[in-house]
């Protein structure tokens, strides 16, 4: 066994010794309700055995918290929570919070009212912690969050700076995989529909596309910008056909946009994948049911939400987690 006497014992080590989850160990240490006698006894025994000393700041936060954590998304539309991507993120977060006493609050952070509400939450510590997603550009809310005493975890890296605590997917590597797949299938006139370029994911996926074409010595000028929505994919695909009618493949930076792009190609009489191959990104639940089934880059969306929540719980408990990048992989189906 490692020598634990020379450094501070962590809550994870207490939980492992007790054979319980980290959240259960935290509830025992903070004298929270709804913990079985057996788990409480096991945790207290592990605390004594390991010489665990709770972090005073974390204990104060745990006993004063408002009973909720916030998922704040920078979006102009309430419909964002109906987006399959964000719906799966919420499922992952909810799963991680299931064994805690914390409730999940959803907040749109783009409107002036939403921004004011989030600022209040950060400044007055009305929530136990905050998760931020889809920050646009050099969003002042992101900077405010970094300076706040409230634990904050970012879903993805904002443009302009790297936060201390974040969970992200390998967007750049996934986009390279998608583009390399199209190149490997013999396509040479490859276009892309980007996501929002003021978001970290949109920018990273575009860079991955460019890198793959540069290595292959192919033209990377066939570009139309979208916004991750189906309507955005529709408009961008129409623009690509007007400007680059000779294209034979498209890497689309989200599955939602790929749905719109496929519809435009059908209306234009372009066969998929015969004349134009399509690869999306995310592998949302409906990707396999699109006609044709969508080749896409899978990122573990529920895991993204789950790991964000776990990281936030670790911060609330006084620990210092490290940033996490989740892997992506190519899922081949009928569209390429």
């Amino acid at each position: 066994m490692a020598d634990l006497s020379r450094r501070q014992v962590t809550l994870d080590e207490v939980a492992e010794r007790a054979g319980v989850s980290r959240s259960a160990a935290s509830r025992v240490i903070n004298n929270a309700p709804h913990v079985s006698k057996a788990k409480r006894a096991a945790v207290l025994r592990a605390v004594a055995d390991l010489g665990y000393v709770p972090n005073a700041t974390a204990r104060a936060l745990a006993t004063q918290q408002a009973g909720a954590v916030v998922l704040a998304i920078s979006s102009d539309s309430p419909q964002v929570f109906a987006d399959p991507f964000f719906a799966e993120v919420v499922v992952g977060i909810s799963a991680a919070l299931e064994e805690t006493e914390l409730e999940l609050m959803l907040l749109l952070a783009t409107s002036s009212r939403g921004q004011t509400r989030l600022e209040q939450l950060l400044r007055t510590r009305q929530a136990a912690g905050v998760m931020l997603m889809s920050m646009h550009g050099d969003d002042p809310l992101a900077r405010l969050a970094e300076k706040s005493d409230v634990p904050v975890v970012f879903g993805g890296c904002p443009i302009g700076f790297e936060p201390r605590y974040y969970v992200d997917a390998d967007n750049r590597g996934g986009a390279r995989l998608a583009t390399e797949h199209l190149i490997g299938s013999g396509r040479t006139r490859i276009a892309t529909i980007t996501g929002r370029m003021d978001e970290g994911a949109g920018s990273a996926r575009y860079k991955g596309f460019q890198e793959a074409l540069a290595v292959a010595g192919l033209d990377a000028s066939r570009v139309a910008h979208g916004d991750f929505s189906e309507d955005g994919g529709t408009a961008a695909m129409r623009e690509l056909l007007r400007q680059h009618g000779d294209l034979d493949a498209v890497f689309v930076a989200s599955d939602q946009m790929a749905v719109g792009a496929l519809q435009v190609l059908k209306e234009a009489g372009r066969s998929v994948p015969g004349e134009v191959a399509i690869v999306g990104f995310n592998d949302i639940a409906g990707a396999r049911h699109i006609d044709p089934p969508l080749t896409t880059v899978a990122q573990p969306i529920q895991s993204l939400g789950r790991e964000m929540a776990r990281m936030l719980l670790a911060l609330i408990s006084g620990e210092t987690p490290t940033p996490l990048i989740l892997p992506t992989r190519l899922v081949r189906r009928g569209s390429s």
Side-chain angles (χ1 to χ4, degrees):
M1 181 180 295
D3 182 2
L4 302 177
S5 64
R6 297 181 180 177
R7 60 177 174 80
Q8 184 176 353
V9 176
T10 69
L11 183 62
D12 283 327
E13 289 165 337
V14 171
E16 182 179 1
R17 172 69 71 91
V20 301
S21 68
R22 180 176 46 74
S23 59
S26 177
R27 292 202 302 277
V28 171
I29 290 167
N30 291 299
N31 201 29
H34 309 302
V35 182
S36 70
K37 290 182 178 179
K39 285 185 178 180
R40 190 176 297 277
V43 171
L44 293 176
R45 191 162 51 246
V47 167
D49 290 346
L50 298 175
Y52 175 73
V53 179
N55 179 288
T57 302
R59 291 200 65 175
L61 178 61
T63 56
Q64 295 173 13
Q65 62 185 277
V69 295
V70 176
L71 172 61
I73 298 177
S74 183
S75 173
D76 297 313
S77 171
Q79 296 301 316
V80 68
F81 291 118
D83 184 312
F85 174 83
F86 287 109
E88 290 195 45
V89 168
V90 170
V91 169
I93 292 173
S94 298
L97 296 179
E98 197 169 47
E99 295 185 7
T100 75
E101 301 301 315
L102 296 166
E103 300 293 335
L104 176 62
M105 294 172 52
L106 304 179
L107 176 66
L108 293 179
T110 301
S111 69
S112 59
R113 184 176 180 181
Q115 289 179 357
T116 299
R117 177 61 175 147
L118 182 56
E119 288 177 9
Q120 289 175 342
L121 288 169
L122 291 169
R123 286 181 173 139
T124 63
R125 297 173 63 164
Q126 295 175 15
V130 174
M131 291 166 283
L132 294 176
M133 295 192 75
S134 299
M135 293 289 103
H136 300 302
D138 192 11
D139 194 316
L141 286 176
R143 303 284 184 178
L144 177 63
E146 279 287 276
K147 297 176 182 178
S148 172
D149 290 333
V150 176
V152 176
V153 170
F154 286 78
C157 284
I159 296 291
F161 83 106
E162 183 174 326
R164 287 171 293 175
Y165 307 110
Y166 67 89
V167 180
D168 203 355
D170 184 9
N171 292 292
R172 195 164 178 169
R176 282 198 305 269
L177 280 176
T179 310
E180 287 166 356
H181 164 69
L182 291 170
I183 295 168
S185 67
R187 311 289 172 153
T188 58
R189 300 181 301 280
I190 304 172
T192 188
I193 297 175
T194 75
R196 291 189 59 141
M197 294 301 289
D198 60 350
E199 288 187 24
S203 175
R205 292 173 194 179
Y206 181 46
K207 288 176 182 175
F209 165 81
Q210 291 178 305
E211 288 169 355
L213 289 186
V215 169
L218 295 175
D219 178 18
S221 66
R222 299 176 180 87
V223 179
H225 297 295
D227 60 3
F228 289 123
S229 72
E230 183 175 337
D231 288 345
T234 297
M237 191 69 243
R238 286 175 177 156
E239 180 184 343
L240 282 176
L241 289 180
R242 284 195 302 270
Q243 300 293 330
H244 307 284
D246 64 338
L247 60 83
D248 62 5
V250 186
F251 164 57
V252 188
S254 80
D255 293 348
Q256 286 290 94
M257 292 194 297
V259 171
L262 281 167
Q263 184 59 40
V264 171
L265 288 169
K266 287 181 181 180
E267 292 171 356
R270 301 286 187 97
S271 64
V272 176
E275 294 177 76
V276 181
I278 294 281
V279 178
F281 202 113
N282 284 335
D283 197 25
I284 61 174
R288 64 178 60 86
H289 304 300
I290 299 170
D291 182 24
L294 184 64
T295 296
T296 185
V297 176
Q299 63 167 315
I301 305 174
Q302 288 191 25
S303 293
L304 179 68
R306 186 166 55 250
E307 295 302 329
M308 285 169 58
R310 286 176 175 171
M311 186 174 290
L312 188 63
L313 291 173
L315 287 170
I316 291 170
S317 297
E319 298 180 41
T320 307
T322 56
L324 180 62
I325 303 293
L326 300 175
T328 52
R329 61 186 176 86
L330 184 71
V331 179
R332 300 185 183 189
R333 298 193 180 102
S335 68
S336 68

